Amino acid sequence: MNDHPSNRTRLRAAAATAGLLAAFGVVTTGCSSTAAHEPPAKAATAEAPAGAAAASLEERWGVEMVAVRLTAAGSMIDVRYKVLDPDKAAPLFVRATKPLLIHPSSGAEIPVHSPAKTGPLRPTNPPQAGRVYFTMFSNPQGRVKLGDAVTLKIGDFEAAAIVE
């Protein structure tokens, strides 16, 4: 009975809908059921080793890079960071400051994804300590690949990471 074409179509539609709802849930809530089980991304800046860079991000900006991942079949890049000190992290949430994801090997400067109905997929409300925030970037032509180095730039803030 499952081999009937209409049943296969319904199953495919249900699976696609479930996938879209799961993706939408990640976008609207800023959390993922698998995020807690995956290791954090290695954050670093160009001028310092990884450990010193992570400490510098925490001291200067009050944030810790959690992950930079390809998502949506490689057509989007999900950047996650945890706020440790809301006062220091406040400049990252200013609506007028536009985040960019820089891909050094191609020279691309990728802006935040901004669907017509929802607007930019990034946080702009005041930050809260201990919360993990996300910013979604488009990945045009699949330019950014797994293992590539990228740099998140928000105003004066810069953090380098490897795409997971």
Side-chain angles (χ1 to χ4, degrees):
M1 183 165 192
N2 282 340
D3 289 337
H4 192 273
S6 64
N7 287 338
R8 285 194 302 260
T9 303
R10 284 188 200 126
L11 287 173
R12 274 192 225 112
T17 302
L20 286 173
L21 290 175
F24 184 71
V26 170
V27 170
T28 58
T29 63
C31 64
S32 168
S33 61
T34 60
H37 304 292
E38 296 181 17
K42 295 171 183 69
T45 59
E47 65 273 355
S56 173
L57 287 176
E58 292 172 13
E59 290 171 12
R60 180 160 183 222
W61 296 101
V63 297
E64 171 188 350
M65 291 299 290
V66 175
V68 178
R69 298 185 184 115
L70 291 176
T71 188
S75 64
M76 301 285 290
I77 304 162
D78 179 0
V79 176
R80 301 212 178 217
Y81 46 94
K82 182 177 183 176
V83 171
L84 305 172
D85 183 337
D87 295 329
K88 291 179 182 179
L92 305 179
F93 293 78
V94 173
R95 190 178 306 266
T97 307
K98 306 297 182 201
L100 286 174
L101 192 67
I102 299 166
H103 185 234
S105 63
S106 69
E109 292 185 354
I110 305 166
V112 171
H113 185 66
S114 186
K117 289 190 176 190
T118 61
L121 298 178
R122 65 163 301 207
T124 55
N125 290 334
Q128 298 174 8
R131 187 165 179 194
V132 176
Y133 292 90
F134 71 93
T135 302
M136 300 292 282
F137 296 89
S138 297
N139 189 15
Q141 297 94 31
R143 186 174 294 162
V144 177
K145 307 274 190 233
L146 189 66
D148 284 357
V150 293
T151 301
L152 174 64
K153 184 168 174 50
I154 306 173
D156 292 334
F157 173 85
E158 284 191 22
I162 303 297
V163 178
E164 297 178 2

